[in-house]
Amino acid sequence: MNLDRDHAITLDAADPLRHWRDRFVLPQDEQGRELVYLCGHSLGAQPMLAAEFVEEVMRDWRRMAVEGHFAAIHPWLTYHARLAPALAGLVGAEPGEVVAMNTLTANLHLMLVSFYRPAGGRTALMIERHAFPSDRYAAESQVRFHGLDPARDLIELAPREGEDFLRTDDVIEAIGRDGPRLATVLLPGVQYLTGQALDVAAITAAARRAGCTVGWDLAHAIGNVPLALHDAGADFAVWCHYKYLNGGPGAVAGAFVHARHARDRALPRFAGWWGNDRATRFRMAPEFEPAPGAEGWQLGNPPILALAPVAASLAHFDAVGLAALRAKSVALTGYLEALIDARLAGRVTIMTPRDPQARGAQLSLRLECDRDRARAAFDGLRARGIVPDWREPGVIRAAPVPFYNGYQDAWRFVDALAAELQVT
Ligand SMILES: Cc1ncc(COP(=O)(O)O)c(C=O)c1O
């Protein structure tokens, strides 16, 4: 492994996607110097096209006000549907199985209302112990909503003692063991803290064998790793668009409902008028007639201004294709890993799985020193213009995003961390 900066420069020059960086606005320091932005797992950088798409909506709104619902360049009445084909491609779904709406947590509640239906001996909801807090709060509150006790009916999966991430076999075994009492399994496609990509196909198959429903939180997975929700047979999934999807802070989120539920009117759901079938929505009738597919879970009319940056970002994903992004991502994250191994061994532990198939872009690093020293090293990185993020009690997460990061970014990050940790 060539550790020189010159080698990183050579790798960047040979990167077929290198020009995509120019289509993003990367953050700068106060002197106007570009930062090394490695936080796309938290908030993706801004695609330049986003401003254009937002301005198009602003212009249509100025020019035609209410008529924009029908006469805008992209009519607002169906603006959300414009996103569906690209989203479907990213999660491996049919366009009718996906919808952009609400926030991730709101969508999670809507999905759990429909698909977590404790009955008879099947009352438990399985999540992971280190689930993102919002997922835990949603899951726990849903258990309580059904009059059940989370101490009994919220089952938590944890990595083995001394290990950082879940083993697929352990997850499958747990699902088999608890199968008869499971109503639903809810897991992340990519775990937010460790960056582990779970085996969606194998775990979904195990849950379905066990006779329960299964849903996925894809916040850190969409646009990061390839997904095949339809073929896997998942019942539902939810995600946000502000991480690898570069849709902007608080961007409208997304949801997937498998086609086998598309016309199931027996499913309980919390309804709103925008979920009504488009053909009858404006009859304003008292009866709710759900639109077939994921659109039937919509509540209110979507925030068009917030959908516009997501549409812009999806246009980029369409142009490049996830396969090319993923190929670069595997190479770039592998390069980052090799640099860390070579220069920071003993000082830093990579918590993320070593198998490229079991991770996305992100590597999570545990600094092998006390918390204050680790925090000082992180603050030092920021002072050097490097932007990863920090999770207590001493984890640095860094994601080289294939759209706008390069090999020199990875090199500068590791070089700066070595300097902060005084590794010679
Ligand atoms: C894994 C995961 N789940 C849920 C959420 C919450 O999403 P939201 O605030 O958009 O509802 C996040 C936010 O970062 C997340 O990373």
Side-chain angles (χ1 to χ4, degrees), residues 42 103-106 132 134-135 188 190 192 217 219-220 240 242-243 251 253:
S42 181
T103 61
L104 185 157
T105 309
F132 189 86
S134 204
D135 296 37
V190 171
Y192 81 99
D217 176 341
H220 291 258
C240 55
Y242 45 78
K243 299 178 186 293

Side-chain angles (χ1 to χ4, degrees), residues 67 148 272 333 339 406 409:
E67 287 303 319
L148 301 167
T333 297
L339 282 181
D409 294 329

Side-chain angles (χ1 to χ4, degrees), residues 1 11 40 44 52 103 107 124 132 152 164 168 171 227 238 261 275 305 310 326 356 361:
M1 167 77 188
L11 291 172
E52 218 176 279
T103 61
N107 290 343
F132 189 86
R152 201 192 100 86
D164 284 315
T168 304
V171 175
L227 294 160
V238 294
H261 303 299
L305 283 167
V310 183
R326 174 67 174 160

Side-chain angles (χ1 to χ4, degrees), residues 108-146:
L108 184 53
H109 275 297
L110 293 178
M111 293 295 115
L112 288 172
V113 159
S114 295
F115 296 106
Y116 171 56
R117 298 160 62 202
R122 280 191 187 278
T123 52
L125 177 51
M126 179 180 270
I127 61 170
E128 40 141 9
R129 179 162 306 154
H130 304 298
F132 189 86
S134 204
D135 296 37
R136 161 170 298 274
Y137 305 153
E140 201 173 310
S141 59
Q142 288 278 338
V143 169
R144 288 188 204 283
F145 175 69
H146 287 282

